[in-house]
Amino acid sequence: MSKSQISCESEACNCHGYGCSHEHTERELKINLIRLVTAGFFVTLAVLTEYRFIPLTELEIPAAFIALALTAYPILKEAALGLIKGVWNVCELAALALVAAVLIGEFTAAAEIAFILTIGEMVEDYLYARTQKDIHSLMLHVPTTANIIRNEEIIEIAVDDIKIGDIILIRPGERIPVDGEIQKGHSDVDESFRTGESLPIQKNPGDTVYSGSINLDGILVITAIKLANQSSYAKVVELVQKAGMRRPPSHPMIDTFAHYYTPLILVIAFGTAFVTNDIVRGITVLIVACPCALLLATPSAVLAAIGPAAKQGILIKSGLFLEMCKKITTIVFDKTGTLTSGEMNVTTIIPENGSTQEEVLKIAGSAERSSPHPIARAILKEAKRTGIVFSGVGTGRHIPGKGAADTWNGTPVLVGNRDFFKENSIPVLESAKQDNIQKNMFETEVLVAKNGEYIGKILISDTLHTDTKKALASLRHLGYSQYAIITGDNKKAAQAIADELEIPESMTYSGLLPSDKEKFVADLQEKGERVCFVGDGTNDGPALIRADIGVGMGSRANTLALESSGVILMEQGLSSLPTFMKLGKKTSQTIKENISLALLLNCMLIGLAAGGLITPVIGAIGHQFATIIVLVNSIRLSYTFSGY
């Protein structure tokens, strides 16, 4: 797919009132602009000759016909396609008005009408192109080659040929081609393509770097941990393409309205012509009645919001999620990696039954090395720090919300929480050593068993993300007052977080499996609540799908592919969640304003046309004036976004 084009799918092509709503390439937009300028010249020539400003009156009709040929074709084509398919749409109104004007000899008026309608189409195309430009600004610099270190030589290869484990050299100013882990070097890295945050991030050995990021000042040597088509940049491109694949749909009420609107207007137009015995009035009614402004009320506002949001690191997959923001009554948060930093660390290893700290850590690390969970990564990080190396590919079975099962040196082992151990009938010792544990209430315990016998535990700490309290304060200011925390973690750790955030114990739920989280959201919805669920993607998929708005924390290395989320927050932490919710409310308000303006102006113009107070040309100008007012009101939304 080229940078200047987004494919047009058949179901996305719906007439918007005066032309085709296919997404146009940049080349087509330029051709249309040339066509419009040329038509404008001949329309001007026809008008000047009609009113004798130019004495060559014989030029009027040819000039009008040339202008019609350049501008009327898309309108007539869409009307014909609608009739062939048996679908009533507003294109018929514009087409009938043009044909009727020609039949009564109003050639210049017909040319003016088609020209003005085409101007409206170009204005809409400008808005759409502007939004697409905002979205595709994330995709302009896809890395294509990389420098690989092999046998102490630097070799340039295609990014698609990089394999997991390859050693890659990243020089200052270069984009990182695939997700990787730094082996050598220190540098500031620009990750603004993912987060919208322009401040560079200091990266050191052991840190993860993401494809598409820019290495600013130091030389980095990284090990590839993902293939090119699985890396961060590739996933962002995929999400962006889905977000901008087609124009947003109209409001459901407007879709129903448009279905009955055309037959109704035809009755009014023919009735006006019959009662007044003035066909020009009937034609004028047809011209002003095209509800272009009404049909654009929702799509234009949604487009104006989605583009700037993408530049700020908020990927919105559908305008429906923006409109849903005003209806949300409860916001449900996953704990680990959402409210907390997710950068967990092992704080204590407590061996039991004659085991050693090293043995407990080795067994836990071996079982958890295939798991994407933050707790597993904390255990592996501690193992690496102490010099423990695991060979071969991990074969442990990850059980979501419980732990992992594996075989270590031919012996079955289990790693997980207390419920997991109860299910497997493994008793946990209540020794005196437990009196000294979990002084930090944010600590999570991971129990370890070998051959059916409990041999110790690992305590892992997590902390609130630095912007969590501020984000919740902003959400409360926006009017969202009911929150819940759901987690697979233990009750003490969950309640400690809830107390910090002033969330009541009655809305704090611990020890939940992924299916329990989905059921929790479903139960709230059955009670009439509209739920926004926010999770980091680890075991949150079912709940994200079930919620009215599923918000995924896309900044984490293993969650950039959250197809289950309707909204992706690419910036680390919750700071952009209030921005999204506020933008959603503002978008809904803009849609209401657009619908009210469109209905008011349409009714007023129909009344003036039926009363014979405006001519067909003035009617066409008034019609497009209403459309442009709606579009400008939507464009205003995109410019106010920067203040959120």
Side-chain angles (χ1 to χ4, degrees):
M1 181 175 297
S2 68
K3 296 174 184 177
S4 62
Q5 183 179 3
I6 287 184
S7 62
C8 176
E9 299 182 10
S10 59
E11 67 267 25
C13 181
N14 300 299
C15 179
H16 53 55
Y18 42 80
C20 172
S21 68
H22 283 81
E23 288 81 0
H24 301 293
T25 64
E26 292 178 1
R27 180 174 177 275
E28 288 172 338
L29 290 174
K30 290 178 181 178
I31 291 174
N32 288 338
L33 181 59
I34 293 172
R35 176 171 59 88
L36 183 66
V37 172
T38 305
F41 169 78
F42 284 104
V43 166
T44 303
L45 181 60
V47 171
L48 292 177
T49 53
E50 180 183 17
Y51 290 100
R52 303 298 188 272
F53 289 104
I54 295 178
L56 300 174
T57 56
E58 62 272 15
L59 294 178
E60 178 188 349
I61 294 178
F65 269 110
I66 292 173
L68 279 169
L70 291 169
T71 56
Y73 173 72
I75 300 171
L76 297 174
K77 175 186 174 183
E78 289 301 321
L81 289 175
L83 291 173
I84 291 172
K85 295 177 181 179
V87 178
W88 282 101
N89 58 50
V90 295
C91 290
E92 281 81 8
L93 296 179
L96 282 174
L98 289 175
V99 172
V102 171
L103 290 177
I104 65 174
E106 292 284 347
F107 302 113
T108 300
E112 290 176 280
I113 293 165
F115 177 67
I116 293 170
L117 291 176
T118 305
I119 290 176
E121 180 183 0
M122 291 296 293
V123 171
E124 185 196 356
D125 284 337
Y126 161 75
L127 175 65
Y128 184 75
R130 182 180 180 276
T131 300
Q132 289 300 302
K133 183 178 179 181
D134 286 339
I135 293 176
H136 285 280
S137 65
L138 293 172
M139 304 162 53
L140 294 178
H141 304 289
V142 180
T144 57
T145 62
N147 294 312
I148 304 296
I149 301 176
R150 289 179 181 169
N151 299 322
E152 298 184 356
E153 293 185 5
I154 299 175
I155 305 171
E156 185 176 67
I157 67 171
V159 168
D160 291 338
D161 294 334
I162 295 175
K163 299 177 181 179
I164 295 175
D166 278 347
I167 306 301
I168 307 170
L169 176 68
I170 314 293
R171 298 186 178 95
E174 293 182 345
R175 284 188 181 269
I176 296 167
V178 295
D179 291 0
E181 181 178 303
I182 298 176
Q183 301 301 317
K184 296 179 182 179
H186 306 264
S187 181
D188 287 335
V189 174
D190 178 0
E191 295 186 352
S192 60
F193 91 97
R194 302 171 59 246
T195 66
E197 175 58 57
S198 59
L199 292 177
I201 300 173
Q202 176 70 40
K203 296 286 186 176
N204 301 298
D207 290 341
T208 300
V209 290
Y210 303 103
S211 63
S213 302
I214 301 174
N215 180 26
L216 296 178
D217 49 26
I219 293 178
L220 296 177
V221 176
I222 71 171
T223 299
I225 59 175
K226 288 186 180 180
L227 300 177
N229 61 1
Q230 298 172 346
S231 290
S232 308
Y233 206 100
K235 189 51 59 179
V236 170
V237 168
E238 179 184 341
L239 293 172
V240 166
Q241 287 174 341
K242 288 180 179 179
M245 185 62 70
R246 17 176 116 77
R247 300 182 185 217
S250 298
H251 195 282
M253 178 274 290
I254 296 175
D255 291 336
T256 303
F257 173 81
H259 182 73
Y260 298 102
Y261 184 74
T262 297
L264 176 63
I265 291 301
L266 289 175
V267 171
I268 294 175
F270 283 113
T272 299
F274 179 79
V275 171
T276 63
N277 198 29
D278 184 355
I279 192 172
V280 175
R281 289 196 191 187
I283 293 171
T284 307
V285 170
L286 290 177
I287 294 169
V288 302
C290 293
C292 303
L294 189 61
L295 294 178
L296 289 173
T298 296
S300 61
V302 170
L303 286 171
I306 285 178
K311 293 182 70 175
Q312 296 292 324
I314 304 172
L315 301 184
I316 304 168
K317 293 184 179 179
S318 169
L320 297 176
F321 300 117
L322 284 165
E323 294 188 70
M324 183 58 66
C325 288
K326 66 178 180 180
K327 302 176 183 178
I328 293 299
T329 57
T330 303
I331 301 178
V332 179
F333 296 98
D334 173 56
K335 181 182 76 69
T336 305
T338 302
L339 296 173
T340 64
S341 66
E343 297 300 324
M344 310 184 84
N345 295 287
V346 172
T347 55
T348 308
I349 301 175
I350 302 176
E352 300 275 11
N353 281 337
S355 63
T356 64
Q357 288 188 347
E358 183 180 11
E359 182 182 11
V360 170
L361 186 57
K362 275 185 177 180
I363 291 175
S366 178
E368 293 278 25
R369 57 181 155 156
S370 62
S371 170
H373 199 279
I375 288 177
R377 290 202 299 273
I379 292 172
L380 292 173
K381 182 169 65 174
E382 179 65 14
K384 182 177 180 180
R385 188 189 68 81
T386 57
I388 297 174
V389 179
F390 300 104
S391 61
V393 179
T395 58
R397 183 167 60 93
H398 178 232
I399 298 92
K402 297 180 180 180
D406 195 9
T407 300
W408 186 72
N409 289 339
T411 303
V413 296
L414 287 180
V415 179
N417 57 32
R418 287 179 178 265
D419 290 337
F420 189 35
F421 272 48
K422 287 179 182 178
E423 289 179 13
N424 288 274
S425 301
I426 299 176
V428 179
L429 297 177
E430 297 295 335
S431 68
K433 291 182 180 180
Q434 292 194 30
D435 294 336
N436 298 321
I437 70 172
Q438 287 191 277
K439 293 179 180 179
N440 177 359
M441 297 297 286
F442 289 173
E443 285 181 332
T444 298
E445 65 176 5
V446 178
L447 308 181
V448 182
K450 180 177 71 172
N451 200 24
E453 182 182 16
Y454 168 69
I455 63 168
K457 67 173 61 180
I458 300 173
L459 296 181
I460 299 174
S461 67
D462 197 5
T463 58
L464 278 177
H465 198 280
T466 53
D467 62 2
T468 297
K469 287 186 177 181
K470 184 178 179 180
L472 263 66
S474 297
L475 289 170
R476 289 187 172 102
H477 181 72
L478 290 173
Y480 300 103
S481 57
Q482 183 164 299
Y483 306 100
I485 296 177
I486 58 177
T487 179
D489 208 344
N490 65 73
K491 183 176 181 179
K492 287 184 177 180
Q495 192 56 53
I497 295 290
D499 292 342
E500 282 283 313
L501 300 176
E502 300 180 1
I503 295 175
E505 185 176 357
S506 61
M507 294 299 286
T508 305
Y509 299 82
S510 58
L512 300 187
L513 301 176
S515 58
D516 297 328
K517 295 179 181 181
E518 189 269 344
K519 186 177 184 302
F520 179 84
V521 173
D523 289 343
L524 286 176
Q525 291 172 325
E526 289 177 4
K527 295 175 184 178
E529 302 289 339
R530 293 296 184 94
V531 180
C532 172
F533 179 81
V534 189
D536 76 335
T538 303
N539 304 332
D540 296 332
L544 286 165
I545 294 172
R546 179 71 191 209
D548 296 282
I549 303 178
V551 180
M553 307 294 290
S555 62
R556 297 178 61 84
N558 67 329
T559 58
L560 286 164
L562 288 180
E563 279 81 8
S564 52
S565 302
V567 179
I568 309 292
L569 306 181
M570 300 303 294
E571 184 174 359
Q572 204 170 36
L574 289 174
S575 60
S576 55
L577 179 62
T579 301
F580 163 69
M581 302 298 284
K582 185 174 182 180
L583 179 63
K585 285 192 169 186
K586 182 61 178 176
T587 301
S588 295
Q589 180 61 37
T590 300
I591 291 171
K592 284 183 179 179
E593 293 170 358
N594 287 347
I595 292 174
S596 299
L597 286 169
L599 286 174
L600 176 64
L601 293 171
N602 250 42
C603 290
M604 183 179 69
L605 288 170
I606 290 172
L608 292 173
L613 300 177
I614 55 176
T615 65
V617 173
I618 298 300
I621 294 173
H623 164 264
Q624 282 313 118
F625 177 73
T627 301
I628 291 172
I629 284 179
V630 166
L631 292 175
V632 169
N633 192 48
S634 295
I635 291 173
R636 182 176 59 86
L637 173 63
S638 67
Y639 283 106
T640 58
F641 177 80
S642 60
Y644 290 177

